[in-house]
Amino acid sequence: QACLALDSLKAEALNNLAWIYAASSTNLPEALDLSRRSLEIEPKNPNYLDTLAEIYLLKKEYHRALTNMRKALEQNPPNIKYYQRKLEKIKRLAYQSGHLTEV
């Protein structure tokens, strides 16, 4: 928050605060806003797309979570296995909740 007070357009700070909120499952509307703002600055950053996917996952908006995780994978991040595992996790949760017919 202090970093954002100094520079409200610092994408990394926006994403980091969004991730903190998501990791603690608190203040999800603010997390969503922060995450979207970070992606306005760096729309192809896989880390930021991952954060947005996590927020949507917590909100049980599985289609949006899947969409953003797929976008993250399209960027060929160096830790691609992490993104692949997370995509599979989202698919499983969506399937179990009845929001996806195939895994």
Side-chain angles (χ1 to χ4, degrees), residues 23-35:
S24 63
S25 296
T26 59
N27 207 356
L28 292 181
E30 178 69 11
L32 185 59
D33 179 60
L34 292 164
S35 182

Side-chain angles (χ1 to χ4, degrees), residues 29-48:
E30 178 69 11
L32 185 59
D33 179 60
L34 292 164
S35 182
R36 287 178 175 161
R37 287 172 44 204
S38 73
L39 283 161
E40 287 175 7
I41 299 164
E42 292 185 41
K44 293 186 178 186
N45 187 311
N47 293 325
Y48 302 173

Side-chain angles (χ1 to χ4, degrees), residues 15 19 35 38-39 42-56 64-75 82-83 86 90:
N15 181 70
W19 183 258
S35 182
S38 73
L39 283 161
E42 292 185 41
K44 293 186 178 186
N45 187 311
N47 293 325
Y48 302 173
L49 290 162
D50 173 46
T51 298
L52 187 57
E54 182 68 21
I55 294 164
Y56 282 131
R64 289 180 174 174
L66 285 168
T67 297
N68 284 286
M69 190 51 58
R70 287 181 177 128
K71 285 180 185 177
L73 274 163
E74 288 172 5
Q75 306 312 310
Y82 163 82
Y83 292 91
K86 185 136 179 207
I90 296 168

